[in-house]
Amino acid sequence: MRFRNLILTVAVAAALAGCTNETLDSVNLSSVKNKTEYQLSGKMVSKMRELGMQKTSPILLRIFKEEGTLEVWKANTANRFQLLKSYKICAWSGKLGPKVKEGDRQAPEGFYPLYPRQLNPNSSYYLAINTGYPNTYDKANGRTGTHLMIHGACSSSGCYSMTDEQIIEIFALARDAFKGGQESVQLQAFPFRMTAENMARHRDNPNIDFWKMLKVGYDQFEVTKRPPAVNVCERKYVFNQQSEGQFNTTAQCPSMVNVCERKYVFNQQSEGQFNATAQCPPMSTPPALQMAMASYDKDFRRDYEKALKKYQGMVWYEPTEAERKAVVADQRKGRELAYAPTGSSLDAGKLLKVSELEKKIAEQKEAEEAKQAALIQKEALEKAAREGKGLPVPQANPLERSVEQAAVQPEPASKSLWGLFSRNEPNASPVAPTAASPAPQAPPQPAANGQQEVPPAQDKPQVAAAPAANAQAQAAEQPAVDQAPIDQPKKRPFWKIWGN
């Protein structure tokens, strides 16, 4: 028994060792009395201390759509940021690419400053942090949208949705950083990790030029481990750029690194000299950063050329939101309907040959067009109903339709032996197909000589009943017409064939 218990203990320990930190640090919401004042776990605080971080030091958030990951980076005592914790995003809507307009279900991509006022403790989705979309870049490019959040509840329509256990921790990290004096938290939202291989894999995506622009800021953070200074001019992002020629040693400071007002100023950005839609001022990259980036760019170009050879003739198929949801359908079992994880693009996407991708896109386009046509038709019918217009409803034919029968051509009657030698035998006429509903015949009339009238010959051709309902109705309404008696030719005995 003791040996069995020992085996079970080892098995449990092994299972726990395989869990992620996120699982071990999972918050028990039932014990949380005030979600906005939730205090980080002792384990989280201990990890900060090990990494040389203070509880209230600045943080930075990074999002990667394709991997479905939200990272929290925190500044250490050297003012360099280190990864504190990585969370699996529960739901994000749309596909890779930036948000462009209200209602497109896209989640934002870009660089967004988060201020204390953007923390929403009264969110309908447990807790929320407004991303600030549209930012200066978005507005300069005519992009629209409202209420784009990082929130709980695991259900998204243009937002980045976490579980409630995740958002309460992220909310607390941002709250503590603001208490420590951080004015704004930088949110970096990317389509994927901008490595050489990923950039090569997505080289044919329509958003590649936009992503190359974001990559400059991504690369600079990778090298410096400090949030890049972000500005917008000529409707594009610029990172860590110094505005040259804008300083006067005796004039008022434009707030950037230089000498003004007869004094030194350090690490200050010249915010007033950048206009989002106007031409960029003369700019330069700080020499130390320029040297560091030169080595980084050299390695990237080498790896990118290698990746191009790997993906030659292949194209990455970006899955739809529905395809991502199908991969994680089992996660929704036993949960509320509102719980709607959307999964990772890496799990649902795949590499295809160019011809295969073109075929798949054509099929999707055809299906979408059919869907739109059905939607337009539905809206037209609903509009007609609202306006009181009659809807075109098919009506049944008021005339009874007779049962149509296939016309069978009867075999011609064979002649008798005597008929072969009969001169006056009439030629047999083909019998017309019998109508489904023959017109009634008049009763036989007595002949003038008192003999019984011979009924009409049955082998006389008759007109088949018209299959159309209106022809049958006309025939039914007309009275039967008396037919004149038909004299049958008399047959001569065979002994008189040669006689006079």
Side-chain angles (χ1 to χ4, degrees):
M1 179 63 69
R2 292 178 60 188
F3 180 77
R4 180 182 178 184
N5 291 339
L6 179 62
I7 294 296
L8 290 174
T9 303
V10 171
V12 171
L16 291 176
C19 297
T20 64
N21 289 336
E22 184 176 336
T23 303
L24 293 174
D25 286 347
S26 181
V27 179
N28 182 5
L29 295 179
S30 62
S31 63
V32 176
K33 296 180 180 179
N34 187 336
K35 59 184 178 181
T36 60
E37 295 299 326
Y38 167 78
Q39 297 300 310
L40 296 171
S41 67
K43 191 168 185 177
M44 176 73 79
V45 175
S46 296
K47 185 176 181 179
M48 292 180 191
R49 194 160 39 244
E50 291 172 5
L51 295 174
M53 303 170 182
Q54 296 180 354
K55 185 179 179 181
T56 58
S57 64
I59 66 168
L60 174 143
L61 304 181
R62 290 211 303 178
I63 286 176
F64 300 101
K65 280 185 179 179
E66 187 172 60
E67 294 83 353
T69 301
L70 184 150
E71 296 177 346
V72 177
W73 292 67
K74 196 168 179 66
N76 58 20
T77 52
N79 201 28
R80 289 177 65 86
F81 284 71
Q82 292 178 272
L83 179 62
L84 176 62
K85 190 168 182 178
S86 179
Y87 298 89
K88 183 178 180 181
I89 298 174
C90 194
W92 58 273
S93 57
K95 300 178 68 174
L96 299 188
K99 184 172 185 63
V100 176
K101 61 183 179 180
E102 184 81 49
D104 62 5
R105 289 186 56 81
Q106 286 292 107
E109 293 176 5
F111 289 75
Y112 296 87
L114 310 178
Y115 297 95
R117 64 178 180 272
Q118 292 169 228
L119 271 60
N120 182 8
N122 302 314
S123 172
S124 300
Y125 298 89
Y126 195 68
L127 290 169
I129 303 174
N130 194 316
T131 63
Y133 179 93
N135 63 10
T136 303
Y137 172 86
D138 300 322
K139 293 175 182 177
N141 287 275
R143 298 179 176 178
T144 59
T146 54
H147 309 301
L148 280 303
M149 308 280 181
I150 301 171
H151 60 67
C154 188
S155 180
S156 173
S157 180
C159 299
Y160 293 105
S161 185
M162 317 300 293
T163 63
D164 294 347
E165 291 82 0
Q166 292 170 332
I167 193 62
I168 195 174
E169 229 175 40
I170 298 169
F171 193 95
L173 286 165
R175 178 203 63 211
D176 291 348
F178 288 135
K179 285 182 178 180
Q182 186 174 9
E183 294 183 2
S184 66
V185 173
Q186 188 174 94
L187 167 64
Q188 304 176 0
F190 300 107
F192 44 78
R193 296 186 187 278
M194 295 190 154
T195 62
E197 183 160 329
N198 285 345
M199 293 297 289
R201 183 162 51 89
H202 290 284
R203 66 193 182 280
D204 296 314
N205 193 288
N207 298 295
I208 190 63
D209 290 335
F210 173 71
W211 294 340
K212 287 179 179 178
M213 180 176 57
L214 297 186
K215 183 179 178 298
V216 177
Y218 173 91
D219 292 346
Q220 292 184 8
F221 178 77
E222 287 291 302
V223 171
T224 65
K225 292 299 185 289
R226 292 179 180 175
V230 182
N231 278 296
V232 180
C233 56
E234 298 179 5
R235 296 185 176 85
K236 63 183 181 182
Y237 284 109
V238 292
F239 303 95
N240 289 322
Q241 293 298 298
Q242 294 180 354
S243 178
E244 299 176 344
Q246 304 298 326
F247 294 90
N248 187 311
T249 57
T250 59
Q252 184 178 0
C253 289
S255 74
M256 195 169 181
V257 183
N258 219 299
V259 177
C260 54
E261 295 178 357
R262 299 184 177 85
K263 63 182 180 182
Y264 283 107
V265 290
F266 302 95
N267 296 321
Q268 298 297 310
Q269 296 181 10
S270 176
E271 298 175 354
Q273 304 303 324
F274 287 92
N275 187 309
T277 58
Q279 184 177 358
C280 292
M283 299 179 299
S284 64
T285 304
L289 177 61
Q290 195 170 12
M291 291 179 60
M293 293 308 303
S295 176
Y296 183 90
D297 291 339
K298 181 180 178 180
D299 292 340
F300 175 85
R301 287 193 297 271
R302 179 199 62 216
D303 295 339
Y304 185 78
E305 292 298 326
K306 183 178 179 180
L308 285 180
K309 295 178 181 178
K310 176 181 178 181
Y311 295 120
Q312 186 174 6
M314 304 297 289
V315 184
W316 176 255
Y317 169 69
E318 171 63 21
T320 63
E321 183 178 349
E323 290 170 329
R324 288 191 286 113
K325 284 184 176 182
V327 174
V328 295
D330 290 341
Q331 296 183 18
R332 295 193 291 272
K333 293 181 179 178
R335 293 179 177 265
E336 297 179 358
L337 293 177
Y339 183 79
T342 55
S344 166
S345 287
L346 285 175
D347 296 333
K350 55 186 174 182
L351 282 169
L352 297 173
K353 294 181 180 179
V354 176
S355 58
E356 294 174 337
L357 181 62
E358 290 176 348
K359 181 180 178 181
K360 193 173 186 69
I361 292 176
E363 292 174 350
Q364 289 180 344
K365 183 178 180 182
E366 183 178 351
E368 182 63 23
E369 289 176 350
K371 180 180 177 181
Q372 291 298 324
L375 181 61
I376 292 173
Q377 184 180 15
K378 179 182 177 182
E379 291 176 349
L381 292 174
E382 291 176 349
K383 181 179 179 182
R386 289 193 301 268
E387 295 177 353
K389 296 180 179 179
L391 301 180
V393 180
Q395 299 292 331
N397 194 328
L399 299 178
E400 183 179 359
R401 180 178 295 274
S402 62
V403 179
E404 297 181 2
Q405 297 179 350
V408 180
Q409 186 72 19
E411 295 292 336
S414 59
K415 291 186 178 182
S416 64
L417 177 61
W418 310 112
L420 293 174
F421 302 97
S422 177
R423 294 180 178 177
N424 299 325
E425 183 73 18
N427 293 331
S429 301
V431 180
T434 305
S437 299
Q441 300 293 333
Q445 300 295 330
N449 57 5
Q451 297 181 355
Q452 180 68 30
E453 176 65 30
V454 179
Q458 297 299 319
D459 59 345
K460 182 178 180 179
Q462 299 179 6
V463 180
N470 56 354
Q472 182 180 358
Q474 293 175 2
E477 293 175 359
Q478 295 178 359
V481 180
D482 294 339
Q483 299 182 2
I486 300 175
D487 294 333
Q488 298 291 337
K490 295 182 180 180
K491 297 182 180 179
R492 299 176 67 184
F494 76 94
W495 59 84
K496 293 187 178 181
I497 294 176
W498 296 278
N500 295 326

